[in-house]
Amino acid sequence: VCSMGNSTSRLYSALAKTLSSNAVSQHQDCLEQLDSAQLDPIDPKDLLEECQIVLQKRPPRFQRDFVDLKKNAASNHRPIRVMQWNILAQALGEGKDNFVQCPMEALKWEERKCLILEEILAYKPDILCLQEVDHYFDTFEPLLSRLGYQCTFFPKPWSPCLDVEQNNGPDGCALFFLKDRFELINSANIRLTAMKLKTNQVAIAQTLKCHETGRLFCIAVTHLKARTGWERFRSAQGCDLLQNLKSITQGAKIPLIICGDFNAEPTEEVYREFSNSSLNLNSAYKLLSPDGQSEPPYTTWKIRPSGECRHTLDYIWYSQHALNVNSALGLLTEEQIGPNRLPSFNYPSDHLSLVCDFSFNQDPDRLL
């Protein structure tokens, strides 16, 4: 890691401290929330500058543009920006996922961490939903809390990260929201069940109150079971999550946004369950297609020993009766991704981040 001048050394010192995987105990007591109230706030511009200095030998970030999706839906309030991203657990990226075209040097945590932060800082989400987070306590909670986010983490009970030597603890789902925009009303950590059995997959669901509008809404993040052959299992997990969310939202009286890596193509049963749910959900990224009915061609693209994997697995679902999608961040093109696919020196994960701007529907007759 390069040295820096005096003007940035104090902030860089705080950033550098998060690089040590030894900074956090892997015992159960590490699951308690860290107290960041005594830490100074960080200016996001300063942190972005620090990340860019660390990354100065890497290629620049890819350019992605927002697509305007407003349909004459005027709103007097700032939109709510939601970011969904499977960031790739460090232990899995280095130890289990076998990205055969990605140099190990591109996966170094000291730099890959800054690529992840750079992506988050570039899009400035009001709400951030992450999967495969295994550096929560030594990186994301300390830094994002100082950026004004309230942070919640729920690890998998039997994380595959723990099978990797020199791991940084279990991976799981994490949810972050800006405290100056929202108030936490209720929070639920959900361990998903399938066929009446508790599984290794989890979700977080939080009911928030928007300070500006006074409106309540629920935001949820999840990561369903991976791999071919587990389609019925994912379907059962999806049913369990929907049942939990029906209760939390009082049968869709509270608007809902669900972010996640569902590990399921749109052809799978779990996708149809969400599409046909009584919660009246729609998938936000369908709106980028010409007819508004088709999902993107991919949200993850990688090369493993078994071959090339190009799939649509990641979604942002929303209550279409109560929320409008104002805009969505366009995906990377095949040319940008390049022949070696993801992750790479340019991009830190094998999954693309999804970002949407939402506004509350102003028509009260459509709320139910």
Side-chain angles (χ1 to χ4, degrees), residues 60 65 92 139 186 193 209 215 240-241 301 355:
D65 297 318
L92 301 184
T139 299
N186 182 60
T193 63
K209 182 178 181 180
R215 298 281 293 271
D240 182 52
L241 179 56
W301 202 341
V355 186

Side-chain angles (χ1 to χ4, degrees), residues 235-249:
S235 175
Q237 289 182 326
C239 285
D240 182 52
L241 179 56
L242 286 169
Q243 283 300 118
N244 276 279
L245 293 174
K246 285 176 186 176
S247 175
I248 291 169
T249 62

Side-chain angles (χ1 to χ4, degrees), residues 224 231 234-239 242 262-265 267-275 317:
L224 301 187
E231 291 81 3
R234 282 191 286 273
S235 175
Q237 289 182 326
C239 285
L242 286 169
F262 280 62
N263 276 306
E265 291 273 11
T267 52
E268 275 199 32
E269 180 64 28
V270 67
Y271 182 94
R272 292 192 290 273
E273 288 164 359
F274 274 73
S275 294
W317 298 91

Side-chain angles (χ1 to χ4, degrees), residues 1-45:
V1 179
C2 59
S3 59
M4 302 183 187
N6 292 335
S7 62
T8 57
S9 60
R10 184 179 65 84
L11 178 57
Y12 178 71
S13 176
L15 180 63
K17 286 177 183 176
T18 71
L19 299 178
S20 171
S21 62
N22 296 324
V24 176
S25 166
Q26 295 178 15
H27 298 294
Q28 186 66 26
D29 57 5
C30 81
L31 300 182
E32 299 174 3
Q33 291 280 4
L34 298 184
D35 180 12
S36 300
Q38 298 177 352
L39 299 176
D40 293 334
I42 298 174
D43 186 322
K45 293 181 180 179

Side-chain angles (χ1 to χ4, degrees), residues 4 9-10 33-34 89 102 153 219 222 227 290 299 316 323 366:
M4 302 183 187
S9 60
R10 184 179 65 84
Q33 291 280 4
L34 298 184
C102 178
F153 175 64
I219 179 75
T222 195
R227 305 215 195 301
T299 63
I316 300 178
L323 295 166
R366 290 183 59 208

Side-chain angles (χ1 to χ4, degrees), residues 60-80:
R61 283 184 66 255
F62 294 121
Q63 176 64 38
R64 298 170 66 184
D65 297 318
F66 280 90
V67 179
D68 189 350
L69 299 169
K70 290 193 293 290
K71 297 179 180 178
N72 300 319
S75 174
N76 297 323
H77 305 288
R78 281 187 299 162
I80 297 170

Side-chain angles (χ1 to χ4, degrees), residues 199-271:
T199 73
N200 193 34
Q201 280 65 47
V202 300
I204 304 169
Q206 295 187 335
T207 302
L208 305 180
K209 182 178 181 180
C210 178
H211 291 318
E212 192 174 0
T213 65
R215 298 281 293 271
L216 295 179
F217 67 100
C218 178
I219 179 75
V221 55
T222 195
H223 189 185
L224 301 187
K225 174 66 182 171
R227 305 215 195 301
T228 302
W230 291 86
E231 291 81 3
R232 289 184 61 198
F233 198 82
R234 282 191 286 273
S235 175
Q237 289 182 326
C239 285
D240 182 52
L241 179 56
L242 286 169
Q243 283 300 118
N244 276 279
L245 293 174
K246 285 176 186 176
S247 175
I248 291 169
T249 62
Q250 304 169 28
K253 288 183 180 179
I254 299 173
L256 175 63
I257 300 171
I258 309 164
C259 295
D261 175 357
F262 280 62
N263 276 306
E265 291 273 11
T267 52
E268 275 199 32
E269 180 64 28
V270 67
Y271 182 94

